[in-house]
């Protein structure tokens, strides 16, 4: 008698704890840096959008303009 | 440039030491422990060790070179500062390459060497056609790890030279921290760190793709095929 294995994707739930840990330890800090890189602040925890200004400033584009 | 120099020195040196290490007997454990010792030392302690070691007044290296009549001072001369940092990194991290290569070498089955002996292969031929292809995978890991680590190096140069003399050893990471924490320019520092991250990611991807595609070509066409 052969054993019928049921194929499904439930095993992904087994890696959920790792995914959550990776999200907390890597992706969230990375996204925080991304957030800072497109905003500016004058303090008081108020930020405003500057787009790619910082990227232009630190690359050759900033030196040219 | 620092990463290039580090890779050019540490990878061949690591392979050479791994080849010279004994494969059996009590001396294997001794060699492995000796090789692992530098890796066990925290980075800031390594920096402090080399900072004192290189000092002309009290350091063994600095004082020894001065007594030989060599004008060495890593706090005033750019070249000396660079040489000290490279020497320190080689001392600290070649062990990692050695241990990785050694693990690859000991996993090669004895039959390959027996076949090479029957064919009358030279020492170089054994290395080129048996040992090097077999350790290529671990070598890829070693190259990637050392590239990423050396590109991100911060603690050791910060402790030894503080980025000086002048800005000669101010690596990207030191510059980044000065911008973010020193000047509190969070926006430009965040943008620079993202570009830094993308450069490392891109170079590692290129390394990995080139080395694995070469490996696949060899598997399809045999060793040495172009």
């Amino acid at each position: 008698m052969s054993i019928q294995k049921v194929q499904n994707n439930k095993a992904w739930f087994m890696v959920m704890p790792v995914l959550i840990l990776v999200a907390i330890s890597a992706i969230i800090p990375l996204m925080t840096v991304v957030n800072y890189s497109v905003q500016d602040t004058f303090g008081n925890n108020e930020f405003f959008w500057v787009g790619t200004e910082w990227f232009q400033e630190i690359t050759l584009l900033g030196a040219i303009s | 440039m620092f990463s290039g120099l580090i890779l050019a020195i540490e990878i061949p040196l690591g392979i050479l030491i791994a080849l010279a290490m004994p494969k059996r007997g009590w001396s294997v454990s001794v060699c492995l422990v000796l090789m692992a010792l530098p890796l066990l030392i925290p980075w800031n302690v390594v920096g402090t060790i080399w900072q004192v070691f290189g000092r002309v007044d009290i350091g063994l290296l600095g004082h020894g070179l001065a007594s030989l009549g060599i004008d060495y001072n890593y706090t005033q001369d750019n070249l000396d500062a660079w040489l000290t940092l490279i020497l320190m990194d080689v001392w600290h991290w070649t062990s990692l390459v050695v241990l990785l290569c050694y693990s690859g070498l000991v996993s090669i089955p004895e039959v390959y060497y027996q076949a090479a002996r029957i064919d009358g292969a030279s020492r170089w031929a054994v290395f080129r056609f048996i040992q090097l292809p077999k350790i290529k995978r671990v070598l890829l890991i070693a190259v990637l790890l050392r590239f990423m680590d050396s590109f991100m190096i911060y603690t050791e140069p910060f402790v030894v030279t503080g980025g000086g003399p002048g800005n000669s050893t101010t690596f990207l990471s030191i510059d980044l921290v000065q911008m973010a924490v020193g000047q509190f320019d969070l926006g430009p520092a965040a943008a620079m760190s993202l570009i830094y991250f993308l450069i490392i990611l891109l170079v590692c991807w290129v390394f990995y793709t080139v080395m694995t595609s070469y490996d696949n070509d060899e598997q399809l066409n045999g060793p040495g095929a172009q």
Side-chain angles (χ1 to χ4, degrees), chain B residues 143-154:
Chain B
V143 169
L144 286 178
L145 284 176
R146 284 313 303 133
F147 172 75
M148 286 190 286
D149 265 357
S150 60
F151 208 76
M152 297 189 298
I153 190 167
Y154 174 77

Side-chain angles (χ1 to χ4, degrees), chain A residues 7 11 18 21 26 31 35 39 41 62:
Chain A
Q7 300 249 337
V18 175
L21 272 174
M31 286 303 115
N35 196 27
Q39 296 190 68
T41 181

Side-chain angles (χ1 to χ4, degrees), chain B residues 63-85:
Chain B
H63 194 70
L65 289 174
S67 62
L68 289 171
I70 299 167
D71 187 23
Y72 167 84
N73 192 334
Y74 70 86
T75 58
Q76 290 173 2
D77 190 85
N78 296 351
L79 183 66
D80 290 348
W82 266 79
L83 286 175
T84 309
L85 291 181

Side-chain angles (χ1 to χ4, degrees), chain B residues 135-204:
Chain B
I135 64 168
K136 199 184 288 171
R137 296 265 175 180
V138 285
L139 216 50
L140 170 67
I141 301 291
V143 169
L144 286 178
L145 284 176
R146 284 313 303 133
F147 172 75
M148 286 190 286
D149 265 357
S150 60
F151 208 76
M152 297 189 298
I153 190 167
Y154 174 77
T155 314
E156 292 106 318
F158 182 75
V159 173
V160 177
T161 62
N167 281 327
S168 62
T169 56
T170 304
F171 297 118
L172 274 172
S173 54
I174 295 178
D175 204 23
L176 187 61
V177 172
Q178 277 174 358
M179 195 188 286
V181 184
Q183 302 158 12
F184 219 66
D185 281 338
L186 290 181
M192 190 174 161
S193 64
L194 281 177
I195 292 172
Y196 194 21
F197 167 66
L198 290 174
I199 290 171
I200 295 174
L201 202 65
L202 180 73
V203 176
C204 287

